Amino acid sequence: EDQVTQSPEALRLQEGESSSLNCSYTVSGLRGLFWYRQDPGKGPEFLFTLYSAGEEKEKERLKATLTKKESFLHITAPKPEDSATYLCAVQGNMLTFGGGTRLMVKP
Amino acid sequence: SQTIHQWPATLVQPVGSPLSLECTVEGTSNPNLYWYRQAAGRGLQLLFYSVGIGQISSEVPQNLSASRPQDRQFILSSKKLLLSDSGFYLCAWNREGNEQFFGPGTRLTVL
């Protein structure tokens, strides 16, 4: 059974304080790893797709990386508007989501 | 560009009442369609998916059913709601193997 574990569950940062979110996974035949951002009361917004170990993707202050067992979402110099829940999902036979990391950035 | 709509946005229903949530996709044809439920503070649970009209696969046995009467329309239904059916319901679409795109969601409260 495919499994995705995200840590930490919640993360409080000061504005400008860089950090990383972790997504550990086990999947039979990885066909893609996805990162989403979800604001309260809204549907998840697609951020990145990673397909193979060593791959990296960047968008503004976010950078996603992938190894054979985990993915990291690095947040550089975050701003309050980066506050959201970040979801990781792996595509095996089906798409399996982790529980998310709730990020709060204080000004 | 593709867009996905869900309605209603919020719904409060008594226990034992019926349910119908609708999802429509614009700007694409023959999409894969999905229904998820998200409990408070938890990840997404896949309920149903469909690869074509009239083709429904269920991932979790439950009080709910799904139908796809048209290519870009996906409906989630229940004959009698339970308290445990409360949650945030999300519809999503994709092309085979690619990232899924989500709708705005429906907040269902069963009292």
Side-chain angles (χ1 to χ4, degrees):
Chain A
E1 183 180 338
D2 300 343
Q3 289 190 335
V4 180
T5 303
Q6 291 187 246
S7 61
E9 290 187 4
L11 180 62
R12 292 175 182 265
L13 299 174
Q14 287 296 128
E15 183 173 2
E17 179 185 2
S18 302
S19 188
S20 296
L21 283 56
N22 177 264
C23 171
S24 298
Y25 64 90
T26 56
V27 61
S28 53
L30 180 68
R31 294 162 51 190
L33 184 142
F34 308 98
W35 282 98
Y36 290 86
R37 169 192 171 126
Q38 186 175 23
D39 292 302
K42 297 188 177 181
E45 173 190 349
F46 170 72
L47 294 174
F48 303 111
T49 305
L50 301 167
Y51 290 106
S52 57
E55 188 175 0
E56 297 184 354
K57 293 278 181 72
E58 286 190 68
K59 180 180 180 180
E60 297 181 352
R61 295 176 293 281
L62 301 177
K63 183 170 78 172
T65 62
L66 181 64
T67 72
K68 288 186 178 180
K69 293 185 178 181
E70 57 191 351
S71 177
F72 293 94
L73 184 65
H74 307 277
I75 303 177
T76 302
K79 297 181 178 181
E81 53 263 42
D82 295 321
S83 297
T85 296
Y86 291 86
L87 299 171
C88 169
V90 295
Q91 181 73 55
N93 290 326
M94 295 301 297
L95 192 63
T96 302
F97 279 85
T101 293
R102 188 162 61 97
L103 174 65
M104 294 156 282
V105 183
K106 300 286 188 179
Chain B
S1 64
Q2 301 85 11
T3 56
I4 179 169
H5 304 279
Q6 288 186 243
W7 62 88
T10 61
L11 191 60
V12 180
Q13 292 285 94
V15 169
S17 64
L19 174 73
S20 181
L21 303 181
E22 189 167 344
C23 169
T24 59
V25 181
E26 296 178 354
T28 187
S29 59
N30 198 30
N32 298 324
L33 295 171
Y34 306 82
W35 278 113
Y36 290 87
R37 177 168 57 204
Q38 186 175 34
R42 300 183 64 182
L44 279 71
Q45 178 189 33
L46 179 64
L47 302 175
F48 301 95
Y49 69 94
S50 171
V51 299
I53 296 174
Q55 301 179 62
I56 308 295
S57 297
S58 174
E59 289 294 306
V60 182
Q62 59 211 329
N63 185 42
L64 302 170
S65 62
S67 62
R68 185 169 177 176
Q70 300 180 39
D71 181 46
R72 289 170 289 176
Q73 184 184 34
F74 205 21
I75 296 173
L76 183 69
S77 303
S78 175
K79 292 182 179 179
K80 290 186 178 182
L81 283 168
L82 306 173
L83 286 174
S84 57
D85 291 325
S86 293
F88 192 48
Y89 288 83
L90 289 158
C91 181
W93 76 273
N94 77 340
R95 292 288 192 175
E96 185 61 38
N98 293 329
E99 58 273 6
Q100 294 183 17
F101 297 95
F102 287 83
T106 295
R107 173 73 60 192
L108 172 65
T109 303
V110 183
L111 301 175

